[in-house]
Amino acid sequence: MELWQEMLRQSVDSGKDLVERFNVDPEDAEKLNKLFHIRINPYYLSLIRYPGDPIWLQCIPDRIELEDQDAPEDPLNEEADSPVPSITHRYPDRVLFLVTSQCSMYCRFCTRKRKVSDSSKINSKWIQDGIDYIAAHPEVRDVVLSGGDPLMVTDYVLERVLAGLREIPHVEIIRLGTKMPCVLPQRITPKLCKMIRKYHPIYVNTHFNHPWECTPEAERACAMLADAGCPVGNQAVLMKGVNDDPDVMLELHRKLLKMRVRPYYIYQADLTKGTNHFRTPVSKGLEIMDKLRGHTSGLAVPYYVIDAPGGGGKIPILPQYVLGRNGKDIILRNYKYDIFTYPDVEERPPQHEVVERRFRRKKNGVKKEKVGVEA
Ligand SMILES: *Cc1c(COP(=O)(O)O)cnc(C)c1O
Ligand code: SF4
Protein backbone atom coordinates (compact mmCIF):
# COMPACT_ATOMS: atom_id res chain seq x y z
CA MET A 1 0.00 0.00 0.00
CA GLU A 2 1.27 3.47 -0.88
CA LEU A 3 1.78 6.13 1.80
CA TRP A 4 -1.23 8.17 0.69
CA GLN A 5 -3.49 5.14 0.90
CA GLU A 6 -2.21 4.41 4.37
CA MET A 7 -2.90 8.02 5.37
CA LEU A 8 -6.43 7.79 4.02
CA ARG A 9 -7.04 4.77 6.19
CA GLN A 10 -6.12 6.81 9.22
CA SER A 11 -8.78 9.42 8.48
CA VAL A 12 -11.25 10.71 11.02
CA ASP A 13 -14.40 9.27 9.54
CA SER A 14 -17.03 8.45 12.13
CA GLY A 15 -19.56 10.21 14.30
CA LYS A 16 -17.73 8.72 17.26
CA ASP A 17 -14.49 10.43 16.21
CA LEU A 18 -16.32 13.73 15.99
CA VAL A 19 -17.70 13.39 19.48
CA GLU A 20 -14.39 12.32 20.97
CA ARG A 21 -12.08 14.69 19.18
CA PHE A 22 -14.15 17.73 18.36
CA ASN A 23 -16.77 17.80 21.04
CA VAL A 24 -19.66 17.51 18.61
CA ASP A 25 -22.95 16.61 20.28
CA PRO A 26 -23.36 12.79 19.96
CA GLU A 27 -26.84 13.06 18.49
CA ASP A 28 -25.78 15.61 15.88
CA ALA A 29 -22.62 13.69 15.02
CA GLU A 30 -24.49 10.64 13.71
CA LYS A 31 -26.98 12.76 11.79
CA LEU A 32 -24.24 14.87 10.26
CA ASN A 33 -22.22 11.86 9.19
CA LYS A 34 -25.31 10.34 7.57
CA LEU A 35 -26.17 13.56 5.73
CA PHE A 36 -22.72 13.97 4.24
CA HIS A 37 -19.86 11.72 5.24
CA ILE A 38 -16.96 12.90 7.27
CA ARG A 39 -13.43 12.15 6.13
CA ILE A 40 -10.43 14.11 7.31
CA ASN A 41 -7.03 12.60 6.65
CA PRO A 42 -4.21 13.15 9.18
CA TYR A 43 -2.34 15.57 6.92
CA TYR A 44 -5.25 17.99 6.50
CA LEU A 45 -6.18 17.54 10.16
CA SER A 46 -2.69 18.70 11.13
CA LEU A 47 -3.32 22.07 9.46
CA ILE A 48 -6.00 23.01 12.03
CA ARG A 49 -4.65 25.60 14.48
CA TYR A 50 -7.68 26.26 16.67
CA PRO A 51 -11.38 25.33 16.82
CA GLY A 52 -13.41 27.20 14.23
CA ASP A 53 -10.40 28.33 12.20
CA PRO A 54 -10.52 28.46 8.36
CA ILE A 55 -9.24 24.89 8.04
CA TRP A 56 -11.62 23.53 10.68
CA LEU A 57 -14.63 25.16 9.01
CA GLN A 58 -13.87 23.40 5.74
CA CYS A 59 -13.72 19.88 7.17
CA ILE A 60 -15.48 19.60 10.56
CA PRO A 61 -19.27 19.51 10.26
CA ASP A 62 -21.36 22.08 12.06
CA ARG A 63 -24.87 21.45 13.36
CA ILE A 64 -26.02 24.37 11.21
CA GLU A 65 -25.84 21.95 8.25
CA LEU A 66 -28.82 20.13 9.76
CA GLU A 67 -30.92 23.27 9.72
CA ASP A 68 -30.35 24.03 6.07
CA GLN A 69 -32.44 21.33 4.46
CA ASP A 70 -34.72 23.35 2.19
CA ALA A 71 -32.02 24.35 -0.28
CA PRO A 72 -31.71 22.37 -3.53
CA GLU A 73 -29.50 19.28 -3.76
CA ASP A 74 -28.49 20.03 -7.33
CA PRO A 75 -28.59 23.82 -7.68
CA LEU A 76 -26.63 23.79 -10.93
CA ASN A 77 -29.07 21.30 -12.43
CA GLU A 78 -26.21 19.04 -13.49
CA GLU A 79 -28.51 16.04 -13.78
CA ALA A 80 -30.38 17.71 -16.65
CA ASP A 81 -27.20 17.84 -18.72
CA SER A 82 -26.18 14.31 -17.80
CA PRO A 83 -26.63 11.91 -20.74
CA VAL A 84 -24.91 9.08 -18.82
CA PRO A 85 -24.37 9.09 -15.03
CA SER A 86 -20.65 9.89 -15.27
CA ILE A 87 -20.93 12.79 -17.75
CA THR A 88 -22.18 16.37 -17.50
CA HIS A 89 -22.29 17.92 -20.95
CA ARG A 90 -23.28 21.56 -20.58
CA TYR A 91 -20.93 23.50 -22.84
CA PRO A 92 -20.58 22.92 -26.58
CA ASP A 93 -17.03 21.54 -26.69
CA ARG A 94 -16.22 20.14 -23.28
CA VAL A 95 -17.55 17.72 -20.69
CA LEU A 96 -17.19 16.96 -17.03
CA PHE A 97 -16.34 13.29 -16.55
CA LEU A 98 -16.90 11.94 -13.03
CA VAL A 99 -14.67 8.93 -12.46
CA THR A 100 -15.24 8.32 -8.74
CA SER A 101 -17.45 9.46 -5.90
CA GLN A 102 -14.58 9.36 -3.41
CA CYS A 103 -12.51 12.26 -2.04
CA SER A 104 -9.58 12.34 0.34
CA MET A 105 -11.49 14.83 2.43
CA TYR A 106 -15.16 15.68 2.34
CA CYS A 107 -15.45 19.45 2.14
CA ARG A 108 -18.42 20.70 4.09
CA PHE A 109 -19.18 23.22 1.33
CA CYS A 110 -19.16 20.69 -1.52
CA THR A 111 -21.60 21.54 -4.29
CA ARG A 112 -21.89 17.94 -5.40
CA LYS A 113 -22.87 16.42 -2.06
CA ARG A 114 -25.68 14.52 -3.71
CA LYS A 115 -23.17 12.30 -5.51
CA VAL A 116 -19.89 12.64 -3.71
CA SER A 117 -19.03 9.97 -1.10
CA ASP A 118 -21.87 7.77 -2.34
CA SER A 119 -20.38 4.99 -4.43
CA SER A 120 -23.81 3.95 -5.71
CA LYS A 121 -23.96 7.27 -7.61
CA ILE A 122 -20.67 7.11 -9.51
CA ASN A 123 -18.77 3.89 -9.94
CA SER A 124 -16.41 2.11 -12.23
CA LYS A 125 -19.06 0.54 -14.42
CA TRP A 126 -19.94 4.01 -15.65
CA ILE A 127 -16.39 4.88 -16.62
CA GLN A 128 -16.63 2.93 -19.87
CA ASP A 129 -20.03 4.54 -20.58
CA GLY A 130 -18.34 7.93 -20.21
CA ILE A 131 -15.53 7.05 -22.60
CA ASP A 132 -18.06 5.66 -25.09
CA TYR A 133 -20.14 8.85 -24.88
CA ILE A 134 -17.10 11.05 -25.54
CA ALA A 135 -15.99 8.83 -28.43
CA ALA A 136 -19.45 9.19 -29.98
CA HIS A 137 -19.43 13.01 -29.69
CA PRO A 138 -16.81 14.55 -31.98
CA GLU A 139 -17.59 18.05 -30.70
CA VAL A 140 -15.97 17.19 -27.34
CA ARG A 141 -12.38 18.41 -27.46
CA ASP A 142 -11.79 19.04 -23.75
CA VAL A 143 -12.47 16.49 -20.99
CA VAL A 144 -12.45 17.58 -17.36
CA LEU A 145 -11.88 14.59 -15.08
CA SER A 146 -13.65 15.22 -11.82
CA GLY A 147 -15.66 13.43 -9.18
CA GLY A 148 -15.19 13.12 -6.35
CA ASP A 149 -11.48 13.40 -6.82
CA PRO A 150 -10.09 11.60 -9.88
CA LEU A 151 -6.81 11.00 -8.03
CA MET A 152 -8.65 8.80 -5.54
CA VAL A 153 -8.47 5.98 -8.05
CA THR A 154 -5.24 4.03 -8.33
CA ASP A 155 -2.59 4.96 -10.89
CA TYR A 156 -3.60 1.85 -12.79
CA VAL A 157 -7.27 2.84 -13.09
CA LEU A 158 -6.41 6.45 -13.92
CA GLU A 159 -4.05 5.30 -16.64
CA ARG A 160 -6.81 3.19 -18.17
CA VAL A 161 -9.04 6.27 -18.31
CA LEU A 162 -6.31 8.49 -19.78
CA ALA A 163 -5.28 5.87 -22.32
CA GLY A 164 -8.94 5.33 -23.27
CA LEU A 165 -9.43 9.05 -23.83
CA ARG A 166 -6.21 9.36 -25.82
CA GLU A 167 -7.50 6.79 -28.26
CA ILE A 168 -10.23 9.25 -29.21
CA PRO A 169 -8.81 11.50 -31.92
CA HIS A 170 -11.07 14.50 -31.25
CA VAL A 171 -10.07 14.77 -27.56
CA GLU A 172 -7.51 17.58 -27.62
CA ILE A 173 -6.94 18.33 -23.96
CA ILE A 174 -7.58 16.52 -20.68
CA ARG A 175 -7.91 18.31 -17.37
CA LEU A 176 -7.59 16.79 -13.92
CA GLY A 177 -9.73 18.58 -11.34
CA THR A 178 -8.13 17.43 -8.11
CA LYS A 179 -7.90 18.70 -4.57
CA MET A 180 -5.00 16.37 -3.74
CA PRO A 181 -2.16 18.94 -3.87
CA CYS A 182 -4.05 20.81 -1.15
CA VAL A 183 -5.59 18.10 1.02
CA LEU A 184 -3.31 15.10 0.54
CA PRO A 185 -0.17 16.23 -1.33
CA GLN A 186 1.43 12.83 -0.62
CA ARG A 187 -0.79 11.52 -3.44
CA ILE A 188 1.44 13.29 -5.99
CA THR A 189 4.18 10.71 -6.39
CA PRO A 190 7.03 10.36 -8.93
CA LYS A 191 5.25 7.26 -10.24
CA LEU A 192 2.01 9.16 -10.84
CA CYS A 193 3.83 12.03 -12.58
CA LYS A 194 5.76 9.65 -14.79
CA MET A 195 2.50 8.05 -15.89
CA ILE A 196 0.68 11.36 -16.46
CA ARG A 197 3.37 12.73 -18.75
CA LYS A 198 2.64 10.01 -21.29
CA TYR A 199 -0.78 11.52 -21.98
CA HIS A 200 -0.11 15.23 -22.54
CA PRO A 201 -1.52 17.81 -22.98
CA ILE A 202 -2.83 17.43 -19.41
CA TYR A 203 -3.83 20.43 -17.35
CA VAL A 204 -4.39 20.25 -13.60
CA ASN A 205 -6.84 22.41 -11.71
CA THR A 206 -6.51 22.23 -7.98
CA HIS A 207 -8.40 23.77 -5.14
CA PHE A 208 -6.72 25.86 -2.43
CA ASN A 209 -8.90 28.18 -0.36
CA HIS A 210 -6.65 29.56 2.35
CA PRO A 211 -2.96 30.55 2.71
CA TRP A 212 -2.47 28.06 5.56
CA GLU A 213 -2.96 25.31 3.00
CA CYS A 214 0.19 26.48 1.15
CA THR A 215 2.60 24.23 3.06
CA PRO A 216 6.01 22.88 2.00
CA GLU A 217 4.31 19.54 1.22
CA ALA A 218 1.76 21.24 -1.02
CA GLU A 219 4.48 23.25 -2.71
CA ARG A 220 6.41 20.09 -3.46
CA ALA A 221 3.32 18.40 -4.95
CA CYS A 222 2.61 21.37 -7.23
CA ALA A 223 6.24 21.56 -8.32
CA MET A 224 6.20 17.88 -9.24
CA LEU A 225 3.11 18.36 -11.39
CA ALA A 226 4.60 21.45 -13.03
CA ASP A 227 7.87 19.61 -13.64
CA ALA A 228 5.87 16.81 -15.23
CA GLY A 229 4.63 19.36 -17.76
CA CYS A 230 1.17 20.08 -16.36
CA PRO A 231 0.11 23.72 -16.14
CA VAL A 232 -1.49 23.92 -12.68
CA GLY A 233 -4.44 26.25 -12.03
CA ASN A 234 -6.46 26.96 -8.90
CA GLN A 235 -10.18 27.19 -8.29
CA ALA A 236 -11.04 28.73 -4.93
CA VAL A 237 -14.48 29.02 -3.37
CA LEU A 238 -15.36 32.22 -1.57
CA MET A 239 -16.59 31.33 1.92
CA LYS A 240 -17.66 33.19 5.00
CA GLY A 241 -15.18 32.76 7.83
CA VAL A 242 -12.66 31.05 5.57
CA ASN A 243 -11.47 33.54 2.99
CA ASP A 244 -14.00 36.37 2.74
CA ASP A 245 -11.29 38.92 3.35
CA PRO A 246 -9.31 40.75 0.64
CA ASP A 247 -6.01 40.46 2.56
CA VAL A 248 -6.42 36.71 2.98
CA MET A 249 -7.23 36.28 -0.71
CA LEU A 250 -4.30 38.46 -1.75
CA GLU A 251 -1.95 36.38 0.39
CA LEU A 252 -3.42 33.13 -0.93
CA HIS A 253 -3.05 34.14 -4.57
CA ARG A 254 0.49 35.43 -4.15
CA LYS A 255 1.48 32.21 -2.40
CA LEU A 256 -0.09 30.14 -5.16
CA LEU A 257 1.94 31.93 -7.83
CA LYS A 258 5.07 31.23 -5.84
CA MET A 259 4.08 27.56 -5.85
CA ARG A 260 3.79 27.70 -9.66
CA VAL A 261 0.00 27.59 -9.48
CA ARG A 262 -1.91 30.05 -11.64
CA PRO A 263 -5.17 31.32 -10.07
CA TYR A 264 -8.04 30.49 -12.45
CA TYR A 265 -11.40 30.96 -10.74
CA ILE A 266 -12.89 32.27 -7.53
CA TYR A 267 -16.35 30.76 -7.26
CA GLN A 268 -19.22 32.43 -5.54
CA ALA A 269 -20.58 29.73 -3.15
CA ASP A 270 -23.46 27.72 -4.64
CA LEU A 271 -26.87 27.26 -3.04
CA THR A 272 -26.43 23.56 -2.22
CA LYS A 273 -28.34 22.08 0.69
CA GLY A 274 -26.34 22.14 3.91
CA THR A 275 -23.81 24.71 2.71
CA ASN A 276 -25.64 28.02 2.87
CA HIS A 277 -23.89 29.17 6.04
CA PHE A 278 -20.80 29.70 3.86
CA ARG A 279 -22.44 32.16 1.48
CA THR A 280 -21.25 35.75 1.26
CA PRO A 281 -22.81 38.76 -0.50
CA VAL A 282 -21.58 39.23 -4.08
CA SER A 283 -20.31 42.66 -2.99
CA LYS A 284 -17.67 40.82 -0.94
CA GLY A 285 -16.38 39.03 -4.01
CA LEU A 286 -16.27 42.29 -5.93
CA GLU A 287 -14.36 43.94 -3.10
CA ILE A 288 -11.81 41.12 -3.25
CA MET A 289 -11.39 41.43 -7.02
CA ASP A 290 -10.95 45.17 -6.62
CA LYS A 291 -8.12 44.54 -4.13
CA LEU A 292 -6.37 42.08 -6.44
CA ARG A 293 -6.35 43.77 -9.86
CA GLY A 294 -3.56 46.33 -10.02
CA HIS A 295 -2.39 45.64 -6.49
CA THR A 296 -0.50 42.49 -7.40
CA SER A 297 0.71 40.59 -10.49
CA GLY A 298 -2.00 40.22 -13.09
CA LEU A 299 -1.05 36.54 -13.08
CA ALA A 300 -2.43 36.30 -9.55
CA VAL A 301 -5.86 37.60 -10.56
CA PRO A 302 -8.44 34.89 -11.30
CA TYR A 303 -11.93 35.31 -12.73
CA TYR A 304 -14.67 35.72 -10.14
CA VAL A 305 -17.63 33.66 -11.35
CA ILE A 306 -21.14 32.72 -10.34
CA ASP A 307 -22.23 29.31 -11.52
CA ALA A 308 -25.74 30.24 -12.62
CA PRO A 309 -28.44 28.48 -10.58
CA GLY A 310 -30.41 26.14 -12.80
CA GLY A 311 -27.47 25.36 -15.04
CA GLY A 312 -26.52 28.38 -17.14
CA GLY A 313 -22.79 27.85 -16.66
CA LYS A 314 -20.19 30.12 -15.14
CA ILE A 315 -20.78 33.84 -15.44
CA PRO A 316 -17.88 36.24 -14.76
CA ILE A 317 -18.47 39.30 -12.61
CA LEU A 318 -16.17 42.30 -12.56
CA PRO A 319 -15.99 45.45 -10.49
CA GLN A 320 -17.12 48.55 -12.41
CA TYR A 321 -14.19 50.12 -14.22
CA VAL A 322 -16.25 51.95 -16.84
CA LEU A 323 -17.91 54.85 -15.04
CA GLY A 324 -19.77 56.19 -18.03
CA ARG A 325 -19.58 57.89 -21.42
CA ASN A 326 -19.28 61.49 -22.42
CA GLY A 327 -19.95 61.77 -26.12
CA LYS A 328 -17.33 59.57 -27.70
CA ASP A 329 -15.21 59.52 -24.55
CA ILE A 330 -15.24 56.65 -22.08
CA ILE A 331 -14.76 57.57 -18.44
CA LEU A 332 -12.68 54.95 -16.64
CA ARG A 333 -11.18 54.49 -13.23
CA ASN A 334 -8.02 52.60 -12.38
CA TYR A 335 -7.19 50.39 -9.39
CA LYS A 336 -6.45 53.49 -7.28
CA TYR A 337 -9.77 55.07 -8.25
CA ASP A 338 -8.07 57.77 -10.34
CA ILE A 339 -10.32 58.88 -13.19
CA PHE A 340 -9.26 58.75 -16.85
CA THR A 341 -10.86 59.67 -20.13
CA TYR A 342 -10.23 57.49 -23.13
CA PRO A 343 -11.26 58.91 -26.51
CA ASP A 344 -13.08 56.02 -28.13
CA VAL A 345 -13.16 55.61 -31.89
CA GLU A 346 -16.43 55.57 -33.74
CA GLU A 347 -17.00 52.46 -35.73
CA ARG A 348 -17.07 53.40 -39.42
CA PRO A 349 -16.62 51.25 -42.46
CA PRO A 350 -13.09 51.26 -43.92
CA GLN A 351 -12.62 53.71 -46.81
CA HIS A 352 -12.46 51.02 -49.50
CA GLU A 353 -15.91 49.74 -48.52
CA VAL A 354 -17.41 53.22 -48.80
CA VAL A 355 -15.89 53.70 -52.24
CA GLU A 356 -17.02 50.25 -53.31
CA ARG A 357 -20.58 50.87 -52.21
CA ARG A 358 -20.66 54.22 -54.06
CA PHE A 359 -19.27 52.57 -57.16
CA ARG A 360 -21.92 49.86 -57.05
CA ARG A 361 -24.68 52.40 -56.59
CA LYS A 362 -23.39 54.51 -59.48
CA LYS A 363 -23.34 51.46 -61.66
CA ASN A 364 -26.97 50.81 -60.76
CA GLY A 365 -27.88 54.33 -61.86
CA VAL A 366 -28.08 55.95 -58.45
CA LYS A 367 -27.01 59.60 -58.31
CA LYS A 368 -23.40 60.38 -57.40
CA GLU A 369 -22.89 61.35 -53.78
CA LYS A 370 -20.14 62.58 -51.53
CA VAL A 371 -17.71 60.08 -50.06
CA GLY A 372 -18.23 59.81 -46.34
CA VAL A 373 -19.82 57.88 -43.59
CA GLU A 374 -23.31 56.83 -44.44
CA ALA A 375 -26.02 57.36 -41.89
C1 LIG B 1 -16.83 24.36 -15.01
C2 LIG B 1 -17.34 23.41 -15.95
C3 LIG B 1 -16.64 23.10 -17.12
C4 LIG B 1 -15.31 23.75 -17.47
O1 LIG B 1 -15.50 25.12 -17.67
P1 LIG B 1 -14.29 26.09 -18.05
O2 LIG B 1 -14.86 27.46 -17.90
O3 LIG B 1 -13.90 25.75 -19.44
O4 LIG B 1 -13.18 25.83 -17.08
C5 LIG B 1 -17.19 22.20 -18.00
N1 LIG B 1 -18.39 21.61 -17.74
C6 LIG B 1 -19.10 21.91 -16.63
C7 LIG B 1 -20.41 21.25 -16.42
C8 LIG B 1 -18.60 22.80 -15.69
O5 LIG B 1 -19.30 23.06 -14.58
S1 SF4 C 1 -12.84 17.53 -2.98
FE1 SF4 C 1 -14.33 18.53 -4.36
S2 SF4 C 1 -15.84 16.93 -4.81
FE2 SF4 C 1 -14.68 16.27 -2.99
S3 SF4 C 1 -15.88 16.98 -1.23
FE3 SF4 C 1 -14.35 18.56 -1.69
S4 SF4 C 1 -15.42 20.00 -3.06
FE4 SF4 C 1 -16.62 18.08 -3.04
Side-chain angles (χ1 to χ4, degrees), residues 219-286:
E219 184 167 2
R220 189 177 144 272
C222 295
M224 285 170 71
L225 288 167
D227 285 344
C230 302
V232 185
N234 189 65
Q235 317 197 138
V237 179
L238 179 55
M239 281 177 283
K240 188 152 84 193
V242 174
N243 55 14
D244 59 338
D245 175 329
D247 292 328
V248 169
M249 279 296 206
L250 184 64
E251 188 189 346
L252 170 68
H253 287 94
R254 281 186 181 154
K255 286 199 160 145
L256 287 172
L257 272 194
K258 239 179 104 186
M259 290 174 22
R260 303 166 72 186
V261 176
R262 168 79 157 94
Y264 180 50
Y265 283 140
I266 292 178
Y267 287 101
Q268 173 72 4
D270 292 326
L271 302 164
T272 315
K273 192 191 255 190
T275 68
N276 282 281
H277 54 293
F278 286 116
R279 291 177 65 212
T280 55
V282 171
S283 58
K284 182 54 77 177
L286 289 171

Side-chain angles (χ1 to χ4, degrees), residues 83-84 87 89 95 128-137 139-140 170:
V84 294
I87 296 275
H89 192 173
V95 295
Q128 193 53 47
D129 293 352
I131 293 178
D132 293 345
Y133 177 86
I134 294 164
H137 288 78
E139 70 274 22
V140 177
H170 55 263

Side-chain angles (χ1 to χ4, degrees), residues 8 11-12 36-45 47-48 54-60 101-110 116-117 148-149 152 179-180 182-184 207 209 213 239:
L8 272 176
S11 293
V12 168
F36 186 57
H37 280 165
I38 299 146
R39 179 182 282 163
I40 314 155
N41 69 64
Y43 167 79
Y44 199 76
L45 197 61
L47 303 185
I48 294 179
I55 306 294
W56 172 295
L57 292 179
Q58 294 185 68
C59 60
I60 314 279
S101 63
Q102 300 295 303
C103 300
S104 61
M105 173 185 110
Y106 291 123
C107 312
R108 304 322 297 177
F109 53 87
C110 181
V116 162
S117 97
D149 194 314
M152 281 297 280
K179 213 176 153 78
M180 289 292 187
C182 173
V183 293
L184 188 58
H207 183 181
N209 288 320
E213 295 167 339
M239 281 177 283

Side-chain angles (χ1 to χ4, degrees), residues 119-138:
S119 50
S120 70
K121 298 281 173 69
I122 312 170
N123 62 44
S124 53
K125 77 173 187 288
W126 284 315
I127 292 184
Q128 193 53 47
D129 293 352
I131 293 178
D132 293 345
Y133 177 86
I134 294 164
H137 288 78

Side-chain angles (χ1 to χ4, degrees), residues 78 88 90-91 94-96 142 144 175 235 264-265 267 307 314:
E78 291 190 322
T88 302
R90 163 159 305 155
Y91 292 109
R94 54 210 189 278
V95 295
L96 215 60
D142 174 1
V144 183
R175 298 194 246 178
Q235 317 197 138
Y264 180 50
Y265 283 140
Y267 287 101
D307 223 331
K314 300 173 185 70

